[in-house]
Amino acid sequence: MTKQRLIPSALLLLAAAALPCGALASKPAPAQTGAAKPAAKSTAKPSTKKRTAAAAAATAAGGAAVARTVQGSTPYGERPDAMQMAADIAMRHDLPVDWVRDTIAQARFLPQVPRLMTPAAQGTAKNWGVYRSRFVEPVRIRAGTRFWQANAAALARAEKQYGVPAEIIVGIIGVETIYGQQMGNFRVIDALATLSFDFPAAHPRAQARTEYFRGELEQFLRFTYRAGTDPFSLRGSYAGAMGMGQFMPSSWVKWAVDFDGDDRIDLFGSAADAIGSVANYFVAHGWKSGMPTHYPVIMQAQGADLAALLAPDILPQFTADEMAARGVQLPGSGAAHQGPLALVKLENGAQGQPLYIAGTENFYAITRYNWSSYYALSVIELGQEVAAAMGR
């Protein structure tokens, strides 16, 4: 297997519009500079007996600390939960326990990150028109055109190899980072440690999200150690996403590919690797070559029929005939679509009329990147606008 080497981002994070599920909610405070030098990587693989003893010692070392009294008041190196997790990670992945402990101990609590993870106050109506205007706009369209022109060969090859249209890949990278201009300036180790050990308790899914981010921290430590990469050098979003396509560590490990053939995976500096990795991600999440993402609908459904059609949310579960029987007509080619569909509703503010579309399995595949119909349709329409600007 080709050894992966990672290239850290040097770009600063600019203001980004809110995304519903795990993307940037507001402009973050500047990341702290002056990263501490990481401990030298040990090549020794301790025995099971020694690693077990080290795990016990790690727990005892942090036992005197009072954790979680105030977020950030106790360094992670003095947190029993952090040091126990370090020992567990080292044992599970045969990593030097001292390296894992030292790395987590040098991570910094980022006070702005829990705030950014706290759900917005209820009561503000969603507005598709406003949401769309943040992403399908002239700056991204011009940048997307330049990106497509510069990477036309890689986009064409990805479309041929994976069956994912170039405009979908262009839409993703444009919505996520404006084609590499806004890849994030948080140290990934700091963001993941903060979310692993200080996730906001007020969040309605705090326990599940804590477990998720602990898994991402584990994957981050594992693959940076295996690749010989300084874990303090990598910058990303406040959630720990990295590179042009904003891959979380587990996604990098599972689906990132070396698409430019230089024997390394670089989602920060290689547009080709980012393009191939996004396409590979979609195929792994059910993308079907040649299938449209959605169809327009003629809405007549109401009452119980409308409630039944909306109940599965964005998960496709109805045939075109079943939708028609409940009062949702699919004109043109939509009526002949083979496969399940979802009735997707996008609100247009408290007073506006909602937009309804019929989402296919490919629309659902885009939401595996970000669990939001608003996000998915923004990706689709940005890609369409860039394609139109390219004369396609």
Side-chain angles (χ1 to χ4, degrees):
M1 186 175 187
T2 302
K3 183 177 181 180
Q4 299 181 11
R5 289 191 290 133
L6 313 181
I7 309 299
S9 166
L11 298 178
L12 295 176
L13 178 62
L14 305 176
L19 295 180
C21 302
L24 294 172
S26 62
K27 183 176 180 180
Q32 300 179 52
T33 58
K37 183 179 179 181
K41 184 172 76 172
S42 169
T43 58
K45 295 184 177 179
S47 67
T48 301
K49 183 176 180 180
K50 289 182 179 179
R51 284 183 279 131
T52 302
T59 303
V66 180
R68 295 187 184 276
T69 53
V70 177
Q71 285 188 326
S73 63
T74 304
Y76 291 123
E78 299 175 13
R79 290 269 297 266
D81 55 341
M83 291 298 95
Q84 180 60 61
M85 182 175 167
D88 292 342
I89 291 172
M91 292 182 67
R92 277 195 295 272
H93 299 290
D94 199 22
L95 302 176
V97 67
D98 288 344
W99 180 85
V100 179
R101 289 179 61 202
D102 288 347
T103 302
I104 291 178
Q106 292 180 67
R108 302 186 181 118
F109 171 75
L110 301 178
Q112 65 271 50
V113 167
R115 292 196 297 269
L116 291 168
M117 276 292 170
T118 302
Q122 297 297 315
T124 302
K126 294 181 179 179
N127 192 313
W128 161 241
V130 172
Y131 187 100
R132 181 187 187 278
S133 70
R134 296 169 179 163
F135 301 104
V136 187
E137 46 81 30
V139 169
R140 278 182 167 83
I141 294 168
R142 288 194 296 269
T145 302
R146 293 192 298 269
F147 181 84
W148 198 322
Q149 291 169 340
N151 299 285
L155 287 163
R157 183 159 56 91
E159 185 168 338
K160 181 178 180 180
Q161 180 173 332
Y162 294 103
V164 181
E167 57 262 34
I168 297 297
I169 301 171
V170 168
I172 284 284
I173 297 174
V175 167
E176 289 291 339
T177 63
I178 315 184
Y179 309 100
Q181 295 180 40
Q182 299 181 1
M183 292 189 287
N185 199 39
F186 291 90
R187 286 199 320 181
V188 173
I189 185 66
D190 296 337
L192 292 176
T194 298
L195 292 168
S196 293
F197 305 116
D198 290 295
F199 194 88
H203 193 285
R205 299 181 59 236
Q207 182 174 353
R209 300 305 288 164
T210 295
E211 290 305 314
Y212 167 77
F213 284 109
R214 288 188 174 194
E216 294 299 326
L217 175 60
E218 181 167 343
Q219 289 299 319
F220 179 76
L221 292 167
R222 176 174 173 264
F223 89 80
T224 52
Y225 180 81
R226 301 293 186 207
T229 301
D230 176 6
F232 301 99
S233 69
L234 301 183
R235 297 293 195 273
S237 78
Y238 71 78
M242 298 174 286
M244 295 184 198
Q246 293 291 276
F247 271 34
M248 293 298 289
S250 62
S251 293
W252 190 309
V253 169
K254 294 176 184 176
W255 299 298
V257 298
D258 170 23
F259 204 59
D260 61 11
D262 66 352
D263 294 328
R264 58 193 176 105
I265 296 174
D266 174 13
L267 301 187
F268 293 99
S270 170
D273 286 359
I275 287 165
S277 298
V278 169
N280 188 47
Y281 181 96
F282 278 131
V283 170
H285 288 80
W287 185 271
K288 300 185 184 307
S289 180
M291 178 182 287
T293 56
H294 64 288
Y295 299 101
V297 299
I298 300 172
M299 285 293 299
Q300 296 175 329
Q302 54 186 322
D305 284 334
L306 181 57
L309 288 169
L310 292 174
D313 195 20
I314 51 181
L315 180 65
Q317 290 194 353
F318 303 100
T319 66
D321 288 343
E322 288 170 339
M323 294 183 79
R326 291 183 179 271
V328 177
Q329 303 291 328
L330 278 73
S333 60
H337 179 79
Q338 300 296 310
L341 297 162
L343 181 63
V344 177
K345 179 182 180 181
L346 297 102
E347 302 283 358
N348 265 309
Q351 306 301 322
Q353 291 296 314
L355 171 67
Y356 292 95
I357 60 173
T360 69
E361 291 165 287
N362 279 354
F363 187 90
Y364 185 75
I366 296 174
T367 67
R368 301 311 83 205
Y369 214 100
N370 183 312
W371 196 292
S372 165
S373 56
Y374 297 79
Y375 173 89
L377 195 54
S378 291
V379 165
I380 293 164
E381 296 197 0
L382 174 59
Q384 290 173 341
E385 290 291 336
V386 175
M390 291 285 295
R392 287 173 58 105

